[in-house]
Amino acid sequence: MWIGCALLHTENPNRTSFSTREIVDRIYKENIYGRLRPGIQIHVSLHGVANVRPNPGRYRILYLVDRGQYRLFKREKDDYHVYREGGKIRPEKTAIPDEYNYLVDWYENEYVQS
């Protein structure tokens, strides 16, 4: 989910948010795991959204900008539901395929600073 949204941000620098469908389609296109994992749409629209009450995960990967529009969460700037305190914000480089490690650097050095 994080990789899909990060790719959309880097590929569309003039856009500030993306729909659930766009994020899911980008994840599908990337095909990291050989198939689209079941439940990815609910992860994008609920489980990974920082400013929504957790159900059940506490991830703070995405931020709901407007109904059905999401962007990556910015830890220093965005509010989040209190029950998501301490929740995961982005993957560690060791947890993702090497070809996506540049996205973690982009996120930390450019995205969260903007």
Side-chain angles (χ1 to χ4, degrees):
M1 175 174 50
W2 185 89
I3 290 172
C5 193
L7 286 168
L8 285 170
H9 278 296
T10 59
E11 295 162 353
N12 302 281
N14 295 326
R15 301 233 355 237
T16 57
S17 64
F18 305 94
S19 70
T20 303
R21 175 61 30 212
E22 289 174 301
I23 297 168
V24 170
D25 286 350
R26 190 61 184 91
I27 294 165
Y28 179 78
K29 179 181 174 186
E30 207 57 27
N31 194 29
I32 296 172
Y33 299 104
R35 63 182 173 82
L36 193 61
R37 289 182 169 182
I40 191 63
Q41 188 162 346
I42 196 75
H43 279 277
V44 170
S45 61
L46 179 63
H47 296 320
V49 184
N51 52 333
V52 174
R53 184 182 176 101
N55 180 18
R58 297 184 318 133
Y59 299 112
R60 295 181 292 165
I61 293 172
L62 301 178
Y63 189 81
L64 178 62
V65 177
D66 197 10
R67 184 178 177 160
Q69 292 291 309
Y70 304 89
R71 64 168 170 75
L72 291 175
F73 177 73
K74 295 181 180 183
R75 80 176 147 265
E76 302 297 327
K77 299 178 181 187
D78 291 336
D79 60 324
Y80 55 89
H81 193 282
V82 66
Y83 293 169
R84 290 187 185 264
E85 178 68 38
K88 183 178 182 177
I89 295 171
R90 64 158 177 80
E92 296 297 324
K93 286 182 177 181
T94 56
I96 60 176
D98 291 343
E99 65 260 32
Y100 301 106
N101 285 340
Y102 77 95
L103 291 170
V104 175
D105 295 331
W106 163 83
Y107 177 80
E108 292 297 337
N109 299 319
E110 294 180 42
Y111 184 76
V112 295
Q113 305 302 323
S114 65

